[in-house]
Structures are given as structure tokens and as C-alpha cells.
Amino acid sequence: MGSDQANEKAQGTGRRAILGAAVFGAASGAVLGLPGAAGAAETGTAGATVTNGAAGQGGRGLKSLPKPTIVGHRGASGYRPEHTFGSYNLALDLGADVVEAGDLVPTKDGHLVCRHEPEIGGTTDVAAHPEFADRKTTKMLDGVATTGWFTEDFTLAELKTLRAIERIPANRPHNTLYNGRWEIPTFEEVLKWQDEQTRKRGKQVWIYPETKHPTYFRRLGLGLEERVAKLLRKYGKDGRNSPVILQSFEPTSIQKLNQLVDNPLVVLLSTADSRPYDFVAAGDPRTVADLITPKGLREIAGYAQGIGPTLDLIIPKDANGNLTKPTTLVGDAHKVGLILHPYTMRNENPFLPAEYRKGSAADAYGDSFGAFKTYFATGIDGVFTDNADTGVLARADFLAG
């Protein structure tokens, strides 16, 4: 999932419906996976149980996932540095139904790797590598001057010499304990890990990768969608029931993917007054506010199965950060057959609505259970969270009434 945020207009075929039938598999006990996996934790229901040994398909599609679906945002990033196998494994141990593995950006030699952004100064130890000091530069990333080190300036072999670090240490000082433990995973490694974990855990593991800044990378000759599709085809995960949901903040990226693969697709939506960067690049004046009208949602439903709005599009906040009245977005999206997986629930005070904070410490937890309950009550189909265990318990509370 990205930070809160192409002239070509590929036409969606509308060939896919909301997928599958509602069959929920019981979660098995957590199993240790790749190095750095945490111990077993309490889990809730999870994706379809694997009965035929085929790890590549999700069985009965999106509707095999429980509702509300708990999506591990960049893994278990509330407890481990994001987009690492330590974070991904822990998300499964904590009961996540789907793992957002990962935000996809390319290397200089065309490999896809999992990083929050192409700029890696805040998520790796690259600044401590003197051999890469001259790679630090300033670029215009989606119209914003950004200084740091960028994945497209490194080969995969060079990136593999780096190690992940905690991105927001002021909020998560305990996560810094794990700085330097894990390397940057590639998307191909994630696809292999998915199959391995599906076998080990005895239930289908789902992932939720995102194409990051696709217009920016296409202009550099590093188009993302074709690379994603090629790998999904290689591993037999490009079908309508495949346990791989693809997402992007750029609608045209989802339209391209709609032509290349048959996976479930989700359009991410930032603040109402923002414009997707592919719209900016193409001179399209529409904003997110236009996309969440009934007309805009019908258009999205022609090429995607869902939307991933910021939580503020579900329930806006007032000037003091308190929640106000829910919008009609959930009902409007459901009317045209779209699911909603908003982002992002986090336990720490600064990320919660004001009425759910406890004190003012930046790393202290507020009443996240109360916030989960309020958002679940709107009828959302799931939520991205940095704290999958909290989400699973909150869902159990909500479903128990």
C-alpha cells in the first residue's frame, strides 16, 4: 500500500464478476516459515483450505475470504520492518487473511522488488554503505522533488547487499531491534514463499501486491504491469481464482493489468481532492471525488472488482480529528458490485481518530478496538492493518455482536 495518495486509456472488458462462493476454511496453527518468523499466535478464520495440493489457485476466489477480511499491511509492519519475510511470516502467524506482499518497484536490471517506495533511504541501511554514497540524488517522483537513493539506480545484486530498517522509528522504536536482519525480497521470491507457506500451513495464503508509480516507471522504460503479468503467468497465478489481488493508485495501471491477467483487481483511492498521477500526466482533470460518485464507481466496476479507499473516505474527520458521519461510499460501491478494503488501521495514537487516542505519546497504543468496531459497522468488506492480531480479535468481537 502506498503513502496516502498514461495517457493511454485501456478499455476494461468487464469480463470478471465478483468471484466465487462463500466457503471459509478454518485457520490452521501457525507454522514457522522463512528465517525470522515469529511464534504462533491466536488466529481467526482464514482463506480457503488447500485440499488438492495446488498452491497456485485460491479455490473459489475473493468470496472464499472471510468478512471483514484482515489484510496484513506490508506484512505485520506494526511489529517488524515492513516488506520483509520476517514481517510477512508474522502477519500469517497473527492471523492475517491476506498479506500485502508487496509494493512493487523495479531495479535497474528490470527485477521487481518489494519496497514501500522506490526511494529506499528510509527503509534500508543504504546510507551506511559508502560504496553507494554517489547514488544519492534528487528526482521528480510524480511531480514531487524527492531526495535519496532509488531502486532503479541499483542492480538486484546491489540491492541484495542492503538490509531493511524500520521506516517510522518514532512510532515504533521496538521495531528497530530488527534493523539489519532481513534483505529486500523480490516479487518472484514472494510468489515462491506464498506456495511454500500454503503447503506448510495447510491453507491457501493470499497476497495483495501493488504497482507503485507505474507512470513514472513506464517513462523510464521499466513498465511494471508486463513484468507483474509475466511472473504471475510463470507461477500459474494469473487466473480469476488466483490468490493474488492486484492494486494500484493509478486506474490506468489496473486497466492495463485487466488486459494482461484475469486476477482480481482493486483501484486505490487517496484523499477526495487528490488526482491519480496518471490523470495528472494525461491532463485528465478528474479527482478522487469524481471516481467515488455513482458514475465513477460504475466505470471502475467495468475493469476492477474492488476499491481501496483511505479510511477518511469511509468516515471523514472534523478539524479536530474526530470522526463524523459515514459517507455513502460503502453502499454506493456495493450497488455496482465492488468490494471495499480501506486503509490503514494502526494501533498507535497518531494514526487513530482523536476520540480513540489515549494520551499523546507517539508510540503509545490507543483504543484501536473501538476504532475497528466503528469502521466495521459501516459494512466494509475488509481493512488493511499494520496489526493483524488486533484486527482478528476486533473482527471476532464485531461478529459476536
Side-chain angles (χ1 to χ4, degrees):
M1 178 70 59
S3 57
D4 299 347
Q5 9 185 132
N7 201 6
E8 174 184 341
K9 294 185 178 179
Q11 297 300 312
T13 64
R15 65 186 181 274
R16 295 186 298 268
I18 297 297
L19 311 175
V23 176
F24 300 159
S28 65
V31 180
L32 293 181
L34 298 177
E42 181 178 1
T43 62
T45 55
T49 302
V50 177
T51 57
N52 59 7
Q57 300 295 317
R60 302 195 180 187
L62 282 178
K63 286 192 175 179
S64 69
L65 293 170
K67 291 185 181 181
T69 303
I70 303 302
V71 182
H73 186 232
R74 306 173 197 158
S77 52
Y79 312 110
R80 299 289 187 273
E82 63 194 29
H83 288 313
T84 61
F85 281 119
S87 184
Y88 297 160
N89 275 303
L90 183 55
L92 293 177
D93 292 344
L94 297 178
D97 307 305
V98 185
V99 179
E100 191 194 26
D103 293 333
L104 303 180
V105 292
T107 65
K108 183 178 182 179
D109 46 350
H111 296 275
L112 294 176
V113 296
C114 303
R115 287 292 84 194
H116 169 53
E117 290 286 337
E119 198 290 300
I120 55 174
T123 61
T124 73
D125 61 359
V126 64
H129 286 252
E131 69 272 27
F132 298 136
D134 62 351
R135 306 280 178 95
K136 189 175 185 180
T137 186
T138 299
K139 299 188 179 189
M140 294 300 293
L141 182 61
D142 290 2
V144 177
T146 305
T147 299
W149 292 262
F150 295 80
T151 59
E152 67 267 24
D153 295 331
F154 292 78
T155 65
L156 177 59
E158 290 173 331
L159 285 181
K160 283 294 188 179
T161 67
L162 306 180
R163 293 297 179 267
I165 63 173
E166 172 56 38
R167 185 175 62 88
I168 47 175
N171 303 111
R172 291 165 181 172
H174 294 92
N175 289 11
T176 62
L177 172 66
Y178 304 99
N179 284 356
R181 180 169 291 270
W182 292 290
E183 63 181 30
I184 298 173
T186 68
F187 186 42
E188 185 160 20
E189 288 169 344
V190 163
L191 293 172
K192 293 177 180 178
W193 166 86
Q194 180 186 22
D195 289 345
E196 177 185 78
Q197 294 301 310
T198 294
R199 290 190 296 269
K200 286 186 174 183
R201 295 172 187 265
K203 62 183 178 66
Q204 181 61 61
V205 168
W206 282 68
I207 61 173
Y208 212 138
E210 176 188 345
T211 57
K212 299 289 293 192
H213 305 286
T215 295
Y216 170 81
F217 284 117
R218 186 165 293 280
R219 288 174 170 176
L220 295 178
L222 292 167
L224 300 178
E225 296 84 5
E226 296 83 358
R227 288 174 167 81
V228 170
K230 181 178 179 180
L231 284 171
L232 291 177
R233 286 193 293 268
K234 178 178 178 180
Y235 288 91
K237 299 181 182 184
D238 58 334
R240 65 177 55 216
N241 289 330
S242 297
V244 182
I245 308 168
L246 301 173
Q247 57 179 335
S248 182
F249 278 100
E250 297 190 13
T252 55
S253 182
I254 295 300
Q255 289 174 337
K256 287 185 176 72
L257 288 166
N258 187 50
Q259 299 299 315
L260 295 169
V261 295
D262 209 26
N263 296 71
L265 304 173
V266 169
V267 175
L268 297 170
L269 300 167
S270 188
T271 58
D273 61 351
S274 66
R275 291 170 66 199
Y277 189 70
D278 53 339
F279 285 14
V280 174
D284 187 330
R286 289 179 298 166
T287 65
V288 166
D290 297 304
L291 296 180
I292 60 176
T293 63
K295 178 182 177 182
L297 292 169
R298 283 195 301 272
E299 179 181 327
I300 290 174
Y303 58 86
Q305 283 64 56
I307 57 173
T310 177
L311 285 166
D312 286 348
L313 294 178
I314 305 295
I315 311 178
K317 298 187 184 80
D318 63 20
N320 295 317
N322 294 293
L323 294 179
T324 61
K325 181 181 178 180
T327 68
T328 63
L329 181 56
V330 174
D332 292 343
H334 284 164
K335 284 178 183 176
V336 296
L338 293 170
I339 62 168
L340 300 94
H341 291 159
Y343 66 94
T344 305
M345 273 296 302
R346 298 177 168 104
N347 285 354
E348 296 89 1
N349 276 320
F351 307 114
L352 291 169
E355 63 265 47
Y356 295 108
R357 297 172 191 163
K358 294 183 177 180
S360 58
D363 62 338
Y365 282 6
D367 178 17
S368 51
F369 286 114
F372 269 110
K373 180 179 180 180
T374 298
Y375 287 119
F376 286 156
T378 65
I380 58 175
D381 300 281
V383 67
F384 284 79
T385 177
D386 292 4
N387 309 88
D389 53 341
T390 309
V392 167
L393 288 171
R395 175 177 63 194
D397 292 345
F398 175 73
L399 294 177

